[in-house]
Amino acid sequence: MSYLIAEGMTGGYGGADILHDCNIYAEKGEIAVIVGPNGAGKSTAMKAIFGMLNIHSGRVVLDGEDITNLTPQARVAKGMAFVPQTANVFPTMSVEENLEMGAFLRRDDIRVTMNEVFDLFPILKDKRNQKAGELSGGQRQQVAVGRALMTQPKLLMLDEPTAGVSPIVMDELFDNIIEVARTKISILMVEQNARQALNIADKGYVMVQGSNRFTDTGEVLLNNPEVRKSFLGG
Amino acid sequence: MEDLLNAFLLMSNFVFVPAIAYGSQLALGAVGVTLVYGILRFSNFAHGDTMAFGTMIVILFTWWFQSMGINLGPLPTALLALPFGIIVTAIFLLGSDKLIYRFYREQKAAPVIYLIASVGIMFVLNGVVRFIIGPNDQRFADGERFIVKAREMKQYLGTAEGVSIKVSQGLTVITAIIVVIALFWFLNKTRTGKSMRAFSDNEDLALLSGISPDKVVAVTWILVAILATVAGTLYGLDKSFKPFTYFQLLLPIFASAIVGGLGNPLGAIAGGFVIAFSEIMITYPYKKFVAYVVPGDWKPEGLVQLLATDYKFAVSFIILVLVLLFRPTGIFAGKSV
Amino acid sequence: MLINRNIVYFTIMALLLIGVGLFQSWNVSLSILNLCLISAIMALGVNIQWGYAGLFNVGIMGFAALGGLAAVLVAMPPVEGAWSAGGWGAIGGLFLAFISIALAVITYQRMSAGRTRSIIIIAICVIGFFITRAVFGPATHAIEDINPATSGYLGGFGLPIVLSWPVGGIFAGIAAWVIGKITLGLRSDYLAIATLGISEIIIAVLKHEDWMTRGVKNVIGMPRPVPYEVNLQTADWFITLSSTLGADPVGFSSIFVKICYACLFVSMLLIVLWLSETALKSPWGRMMRAIRDNEVSANAMGKNVTKRHLQVFVLGSVVVGLAGAMLTTLDGQLTPTSYQPLRFTFLIWIMVIVGGSGNNWGAVLGGFVIWFFWIEAEPLGLVLMNVITSGMAEDNSLRLHLIESAAHMRLMTMGLILLLVLRFSPRGLLPEKSS
C-alpha cells in the first residue's frame, strides 16, 4: 500500500469543482511530480491533499490512517509538511529563527535537525543570522524547504519550488530534493518545469482539467510521444 | 560662555527633559498600537481609552492603598497599584477579544470592520471610565515631587538657570527603558515572542508551522494591557489624569506608530521621540533662549514661538502627513501601505 | 417587503415623536425633530462615503464645524473697522502661506530629487513661514483689539444665512479634497487617522483664531432664516392665526418658529436624499459599489479606484459640511467648545450603521432613531438610576454618584448599540438593496 493515498478527490473553492476524481499516490523515499498545463488544478490537488480546501468526495490516507477530515495544522502533526509557492518564509526573521519556527510544535532538541538542514543547504549556515527577506530567491526557497524539513516530516509537499529562480539554481534545488528523498522522505511536487521535474521523478502525474491524464514513471512519461507533444513542447 | 551654559540649562529644563519623558510615554503607547496592528492587523482606536481605563484602575487601587496608609516613601504609591491595573486591563482586553474581535477573525472580516468595532469599544470604555471616576481631572501622585530642583541646581552651579527633574519624569524614563528591554527580550528570545513575530510576518505560514493564533492573540492583548496601563499611569503621574486627554493622545500615538512604520515596535519607539521632541520644540517660546544666545542686551519682542501651544496636535498631524506623502511605510519600513 | 419595512419603521418613528409631543411637550418634540433632520442629512453624507465606497471617515466633527464657520463668515454683519484694521493683512497672510506651500509643491514636482531640492524646499517653507507670520500676526492682533468684549473679529458678509449652507459644503469639500489626496490609495487605516487629526485641528483653529471666530468667546445672535418669536407675537396675522387655532400666541410662536425650521430642513433633506438616490442608481453609483465590493478586480478592470474614492469622499464631506452649517443656523450661535468627537463623529457613525449602511433611507432612519434615543436616553437613564437607587438613603454617596453619572451611561449605551448591531445585524435596520 502506498504511503500517501489520495483517491477520487472531487472539489473546489466553493464555486464550481476544480478537481474531478483526481488520484495521487506517493511512496516512501520516492519523488512524485504533478505536471500539466496552466489551470489544470495541479496546485489545487496539492492543497486538497493538505486539507486547504474541501473535497466532497474521495479520501486522503497517510501511512494507513484516514486524514480526510483533519485541518492542515493537524496534518502537520501527522507528518505532512507543505512549502507554499509564494510567501513561504518569515521575511523579518533570521534564517535560524525561520527554521526554529518550522520546528514550533516539537518539544525535543531541534539542533540535530537544524544541522541536517545546514548540511543540505550549506549557504544557509553562513547566513543563519541574516533576515530571510534579504536573501536571494533561490536562498529563500532553501529556507522555505529547510523550514518544512524542521518538522521532520514523512511527506514533503512542494508547490512549484523552482518558480522564478534561475536555471542554475533550479538544478541545484532539484539536487537538494533528490538528497531529501534519499533520507526516506516521500516527496510530492507540483512543477511548471515539467521536463526537468520528470527527469528526477519516480512517478509522474499529468493532470488536465482537474483529472489524471497520464500516470507512469517519470522516464516512461518523458518518452511517451503524446505527453512530449502536448505537454513538453515536442 | 556663561550665557551659553544658561541657554543650555534653559533648553534642558523646558525642552529636553519634558520631551524625553513625554516621548517615553508616547513610545509605550505607540508600541501598543503597533503590536495590535502587527498581529491583529487593524488600528486600534480604543487604545487611548484603554490607557485611560488602565490608569483609572491604578488610581482606584492607589486611593485604596493610601487610605490604608500603604505607600512607597519617596516613590508614588501608583507603582504599587500598577500590577493590579495591568491585571484588570488584561482581563478586560481578553474579554473584549473573546466577545468581539474573535468573531470577526473567524469571519475573516475586512480590517475596517475591526476598526469600527474598536470604535465601539472606545465608546464603551469612555462611558465606563467617566461613569466610575468622572470626566474631571484626578490627581493621584504622592511621594517626593523632585529628583533635582532647579533652585538647588542654580545655587550649586551659580548660574541663572537650573534644571529641575520631577520624580515622575525620572520614573517615566526608567520604567519605559525596563518595559522596552523586557518586551524586546520577550519578542526576540522566547519561543512565544518569536511565534508572535512569525505570526505578524506571515500569518498563513505561521499556521502551517503549528503556531496557535489564539495564543498569539491572547499574549498580544496581555502585552497591550501592560504597555497601555504603564504608559497611561506614567502620563497621569507626570501631567494629570483626565479621560478626554487620553482620547486626544490617540493622534500623537498613531502618528508615532506610523512614523516608525506600523507593525514595527522599534520604529514606534523612535517615532514616539520624534513626535514628542517636535511637538515641544515647535511650541516652545524661545524668547529667553534667544536673549541668552544673541550677544549684547538685545531681546526679541515677541515670544519667538513657532506655533502656539494650542496647536500642538497640528505638529503630530503635519509630521504624519509628511510621512504619508513621502514614506507611507514609515521611516523604518513597517508593514504594507 | 422592503417598502413595507420602510413605512413601518418611519411610522414608528413618527409615533414616537408624536408621543413626545403629547406626553412631554410639542416644543421638545419639534426640537428633537429638527435635530433628527440635520442628523439625517449628516448621516446621508457619511453613508455616501461609507455605504457607497467603504471609506471610514473619523473626522465628521471637523467637516461639520467647517459648516459652522461658513455660517459665521456668510451671515454675520461685518464688524465696523475690522477690515480696514487688519482684514486685508489677515487675508494677505493666508494668501502668502498658500503661495509658499504652492511654491514648495511646484519645486518638489519640477526639480529632480537631490540635496539641492531639499534645501530649496526647506528654505521656501522657512522664509514663507516668517513672512506670513510678519504679515498675519499684527493684522490679526489689530482685529482682535477692536472692542474685544463684543466683537474683536472680522465678522462676516452679512448675507442671508441660508447661503452659508452651500458655502459650508464647499469648505468641507476643499478640506476633504486635501485629506483625500494625501491618504486615499493608502491603507484604509490612514484615512481614518488623518481625518481624526484634521478634525481636531479644525476645532483647534475655531477655538483659537479669535479674529475669525471669536474663539471660545463664541459668536452669538446669528441672523435667522425664519421669523423671530417677538416679531410674530406682535404681528396681526399671527395673533389671528393663533386665536383661530385656540393657542396662546407666546407659546405658539416658538412652536411656529420650529415648524418653519422643520420645513426648511425637510426640503433640504429631500433634495439631498433625492440627489443621493439618483447618484446611487446611476452608473456612477453602481461602479462605486462594485469598487467597494471588490477593489482588486475593479482595479484590474482599469477603474481608477483612488480617483473615484476621492470623488465620493469629497461629495460626502460636502453633505456633512452642509448639515454642519444648518446646525449652526438652528443653534443661532457658533460655540467651538461644543464640538465633541463623540457627539459629532461617532454618533453619526452609529446612525449610519444602525440605519443600514449603503441604504440612503437607512441613513435617514438611523439619524432619526439614534438622535431620538440620544436625547431621550438622558431622562430615561435618570429614571432608571432613580429606580435602581430607590432603596438607598437620600444622601447615600453611591446613590448620589450613580445619579450624577447617569449622563455617561449614554456613551456606553451607544458603544454597545454599535457593537451589537455590527455583530448581529451588520446590514442595519434597512439593509442595502442588493443589485
Side-chain angles (χ1 to χ4, degrees):
Chain A
M1 201 166 84
S2 298
Y3 187 70
L4 170 79
I5 305 167
E7 286 180 324
M9 295 190 297
T10 303
Y13 296 100
D17 285 346
I18 296 169
L19 298 177
H20 304 281
D21 194 23
C22 172
N23 302 307
I24 307 282
Y25 303 88
E27 308 297 332
K28 244 191 158 75
E30 284 191 4
I31 300 175
V33 174
I34 309 176
V35 297
N38 276 330
K42 307 185 295 280
S43 290
T44 312
M46 183 170 275
K47 284 179 180 156
I49 294 171
F50 194 60
M52 286 163 80
L53 83 154
N54 295 324
I55 50 172
H56 47 74
S57 61
R59 60 182 192 136
V60 182
V61 178
L62 186 74
D63 202 8
E65 187 182 350
D66 192 317
I67 58 166
T68 316
N69 295 317
L70 294 186
T71 61
Q73 284 84 346
R75 293 181 202 218
V76 172
K78 294 281 177 203
M80 276 189 172
F82 179 64
V83 180
Q85 184 185 344
T86 52
N88 49 21
V89 296
F90 300 112
T92 73
M93 302 180 83
S94 71
V95 169
E96 193 170 338
E97 285 172 332
N98 265 276
L99 299 182
E100 278 176 43
M101 286 301 108
F104 188 77
L105 285 177
R106 287 174 57 188
R107 286 291 180 177
D108 52 336
D109 191 2
I110 62 169
R111 265 174 303 180
V112 182
T113 324
M114 197 179 288
N115 283 330
E116 284 168 13
V117 172
F118 285 148
D119 289 342
L120 190 62
F121 305 116
I123 186 78
L124 295 188
K125 191 168 192 174
D126 301 335
K127 307 217 169 195
R128 61 199 298 167
N129 291 320
Q130 207 166 327
K131 283 183 182 172
E134 295 166 356
L135 301 179
S136 71
Q139 289 163 353
R140 260 210 300 269
Q141 290 295 4
Q142 295 185 340
V143 174
V145 174
R147 185 205 62 83
L149 289 175
M150 289 301 291
T151 53
Q152 292 181 313
K154 313 274 177 11
L155 171 67
L156 179 64
M157 301 201 286
L158 305 159
D159 192 355
E160 300 201 19
T162 64
V165 303
S166 69
I168 303 170
V169 175
M170 183 170 81
D171 288 345
E172 205 181 322
L173 267 173
F174 280 144
D175 288 346
N176 296 142
I177 289 165
I178 295 169
E179 265 183 77
V180 173
R182 289 209 185 106
T183 60
K184 291 290 161 212
I185 294 177
S186 315
I187 291 184
L188 178 62
M189 174 160 81
V190 167
E191 257 301 332
Q192 283 289 359
N193 300 304
R195 190 183 292 273
Q196 291 88 335
L198 288 176
N199 250 325
I200 66 163
D202 295 297
K203 193 176 278 166
Y205 297 87
V206 180
M207 271 183 76
V208 178
Q209 288 175 345
S211 334
N212 303 63
R213 178 66 61 87
F214 301 99
T215 305
D216 216 316
T217 63
E219 210 183 328
V220 173
L221 286 176
L222 277 174
N223 295 321
N224 181 327
E226 203 179 335
V227 173
R228 287 174 72 111
K229 190 160 152 277
S230 311
F231 306 109
L232 302 175
Chain B
M1 191 58 223
E2 167 105 27
D3 275 351
L4 284 182
L5 177 63
N6 273 325
F8 173 74
L9 291 173
L10 182 77
M11 286 300 280
S12 306
N13 193 23
F14 290 104
V15 175
F16 300 143
V17 172
I20 289 171
Y22 180 42
S24 312
Q25 292 147 9
L26 283 186
L28 289 177
V31 173
V33 165
T34 233
L35 276 183
V36 173
Y37 188 89
I39 302 292
L40 294 127
R41 293 166 222 288
F42 71 98
S43 303
N44 184 7
F45 271 72
H47 198 79
D49 285 287
T50 307
M51 281 165 63
F53 179 80
T55 312
M56 176 191 75
I57 303 291
V58 169
I59 292 175
L60 295 178
F61 273 99
T62 306
W63 286 345
W64 187 45
F65 290 148
Q66 284 168 342
S67 72
M68 293 193 304
I70 301 172
N71 64 58
L72 284 176
L75 293 174
T77 314
L79 280 188
L80 210 59
L82 204 49
F84 299 95
I86 290 171
I87 291 170
V88 176
T89 311
I91 292 171
F92 175 85
L93 289 178
L94 290 172
S96 67
D97 185 81
K98 204 175 169 96
L99 286 174
I100 296 153
Y101 295 125
R102 196 164 75 176
F103 172 78
Y104 298 111
R105 271 203 300 286
E106 283 162 6
Q107 303 266 303
K108 296 205 184 296
V112 70
I113 300 294
Y114 291 87
L115 216 64
I116 297 175
S118 79
V119 166
I121 292 178
M122 178 189 87
F123 252 109
V124 172
L125 277 173
N126 232 301
V128 168
V129 170
R130 283 168 172 74
F131 185 73
I132 295 178
I133 207 165
N136 301 321
D137 258 317
Q138 306 288 346
R139 287 194 42 81
F140 60 107
D142 52 5
E144 287 290 329
R145 257 179 72 70
F146 288 99
I147 302 172
V148 181
K149 282 186 183 151
R151 190 163 37 86
E152 289 167 2
M153 188 158 176
K154 282 183 213 167
Q155 282 168 355
Y156 180 76
L157 290 174
T159 50
E161 298 295 333
V163 179
S164 64
I165 300 174
K166 289 194 284 184
V167 172
S168 59
Q169 291 168 330
L171 206 60
T172 295
V173 175
I174 293 169
T175 316
I177 291 173
I178 294 172
V179 169
V180 166
I181 289 176
L183 177 73
F184 279 89
W185 173 81
F186 177 79
L187 288 178
N188 289 317
K189 297 291 174 208
T190 66
R191 207 171 98 94
T192 312
K194 284 180 191 172
S195 73
M196 281 178 62
R197 285 168 53 218
F199 191 87
S200 161
D201 252 15
N202 187 336
E203 187 175 336
D204 292 330
L205 197 62
L207 296 178
L208 291 186
S209 305
I211 291 167
S212 148
D214 290 336
K215 188 177 170 194
V216 166
V217 169
V219 173
T220 306
W221 284 119
I222 293 170
L223 291 178
V224 169
I226 296 172
L227 289 161
T229 310
V230 170
T233 305
L234 292 175
Y235 186 88
L237 283 173
D238 195 21
K239 308 210 163 75
S240 77
F241 175 81
K242 191 180 178 192
F244 189 64
T245 318
Y246 281 69
F247 167 76
Q248 286 189 312
L249 274 179
L250 209 51
L251 183 61
I253 285 177
F254 274 138
S256 309
I258 291 176
V259 167
L262 271 176
N264 178 345
L266 204 60
I269 293 167
F273 285 101
V274 168
I275 297 289
F277 269 85
S278 316
E279 200 174 280
I280 292 180
M281 288 180 77
I282 289 176
T283 55
Y284 176 69
Y286 287 92
K287 184 182 174 127
K288 232 175 154 185
F289 175 77
V290 173
Y292 277 126
V293 180
V294 174
D297 282 339
W298 183 78
K299 255 189 177 175
E301 265 179 43
L303 288 170
V304 202
Q305 192 180 16
L306 289 170
L307 203 64
T309 326
D310 309 319
Y311 291 124
K312 60 179 183 187
F313 288 116
V315 178
S316 325
F317 182 74
I318 289 165
I319 295 174
L320 175 73
V321 163
L322 291 177
V323 169
L324 289 186
L325 280 176
F326 297 108
R327 287 202 68 148
T329 51
I331 295 173
F332 304 83
K335 295 191 86 70
S336 70
V337 293
Chain C
M1 169 61 207
L2 204 69
I3 301 297
N4 292 340
R5 229 203 242 199
N6 271 351
I7 292 169
V8 169
Y9 283 133
F10 278 103
T11 313
I12 293 175
M13 199 56 235
L15 289 176
L16 281 174
L17 284 168
I18 292 170
V20 170
L22 291 174
F23 295 107
Q24 268 177 292
S25 82
W26 287 103
N27 238 324
V28 173
S29 173
L30 283 168
S31 309
I32 295 178
L33 172 70
N34 279 332
L35 280 160
C36 280
L37 289 165
I38 292 174
S39 304
I41 296 178
M42 240 180 239
L44 274 175
V46 176
N47 186 45
I48 290 173
Q49 296 174 341
W50 167 247
Y52 294 12
L55 299 177
F56 191 49
N57 175 357
V58 197
I60 303 164
M61 168 180 78
F63 298 110
L66 282 176
L69 175 65
V72 171
L73 296 184
V74 167
M76 287 308 282
V79 170
E80 193 111 349
W83 276 97
S84 53
W88 299 113
I91 302 294
L94 291 181
F95 184 67
L96 282 172
F98 176 75
I99 294 279
S100 340
I101 294 172
L103 266 180
V105 171
I106 290 170
T107 317
Y108 179 78
Q109 284 169 346
R110 293 288 163 84
M111 282 182 70
S112 50
R115 189 176 289 172
T116 346
R117 184 176 79 172
S118 313
I119 291 172
I120 291 178
I121 289 178
I122 291 171
I124 290 174
C125 291
V126 171
I127 295 170
F129 179 78
F130 283 104
I131 294 179
T132 304
R133 278 276 292 255
V135 177
F136 189 68
T140 53
H141 279 299
I143 296 171
E144 284 163 18
D145 283 342
I146 300 172
N147 207 355
T150 53
S151 53
Y153 78 125
L154 264 180
F157 289 95
L159 298 168
I161 198 161
V162 177
L163 273 183
S164 74
W165 300 357
V167 173
I170 292 168
F171 281 9
I174 292 171
W177 186 83
V178 174
I179 293 296
K181 200 78 189 148
I182 295 168
T183 53
L184 288 171
L186 303 175
R187 271 192 62 107
S188 54
D189 304 50
Y190 290 166
L191 177 71
I193 295 164
T195 46
L196 175 81
I198 193 74
S199 73
E200 292 285 326
I201 289 167
I202 290 171
I203 301 306
V205 168
L206 294 195
K207 274 185 194 163
H208 302 295
E209 295 304 312
D210 288 18
W211 64 274
M212 191 163 67
T213 63
R214 300 196 76 220
V216 290
K217 289 179 290 185
N218 304 337
V219 175
I220 52 169
M222 288 169 60
R224 276 185 182 178
V226 298
Y228 286 84
E229 288 87 344
V230 269
N231 299 343
L232 282 175
Q233 285 157 22
T234 53
D236 292 334
W237 65 269
F238 185 77
I239 297 173
T240 337
L241 177 69
S242 33
S243 61
T244 16
L245 289 170
D248 151 47
V250 178
F252 185 58
S253 66
S254 86
I255 290 180
F256 184 80
V257 167
K258 290 199 169 74
I259 291 174
C260 289
Y261 272 120
C263 291
L264 272 177
F265 293 163
V266 166
S267 37
M268 227 35 230
L269 175 63
L270 289 178
I271 293 171
V272 174
L273 185 59
W274 180 75
L275 287 174
S276 310
E277 279 289 278
T278 313
L280 187 63
K281 285 178 186 142
S282 70
W284 180 84
R286 278 199 300 275
M287 180 177 63
M288 287 315 310
R289 281 184 292 168
I291 291 176
R292 177 196 66 191
D293 293 338
N294 197 339
E295 208 168 297
V296 179
S297 75
N299 232 335
M301 270 151 51
K303 308 277 185 222
N304 188 338
V305 173
T306 308
K307 200 172 152 197
R308 302 287 157 217
H309 277 171
L310 188 60
Q311 282 175 348
V312 87
F313 185 64
V314 169
L315 282 178
S317 300
V318 166
V319 174
V320 172
L322 177 95
M326 292 167 63
L327 181 66
T328 306
T329 306
L330 176 67
D331 288 343
Q333 54 180 358
L334 180 71
T335 47
T337 44
S338 68
Y339 287 99
Q340 297 289 331
L342 295 172
R343 150 76 178 88
F344 275 93
T345 296
F346 298 113
L347 197 64
I348 310 296
W349 262 100
I350 294 177
M351 291 170 182
V352 174
I353 289 176
V354 169
S357 356
N359 183 336
N360 290 317
W361 290 99
V364 173
L365 180 70
F368 272 80
V369 171
I370 297 300
W371 184 259
F372 183 85
F373 283 105
W374 177 251
I375 291 302
E376 291 293 323
E378 202 159 354
L380 286 178
L382 211 57
V383 170
L384 182 73
M385 280 304 160
N386 276 317
V387 171
I388 291 176
T389 57
S390 55
M392 301 180 191
E394 273 301 306
D395 56 347
N396 185 314
S397 64
L398 180 65
R399 176 193 158 103
L400 292 176
H401 177 82
L402 285 176
I403 289 177
E404 197 185 320
S405 310
H408 306 304
M409 291 295 284
R410 291 209 291 192
L411 295 173
M412 206 153 44
T413 319
M414 288 297 152
L416 286 175
I417 290 176
L418 177 62
L419 289 171
L420 290 172
V421 171
L422 194 65
R423 166 79 184 261
F424 295 107
S425 175
R427 292 159 54 82
L429 291 173
L430 296 177
E432 182 184 355
K433 291 157 225 164
S434 47
S435 42

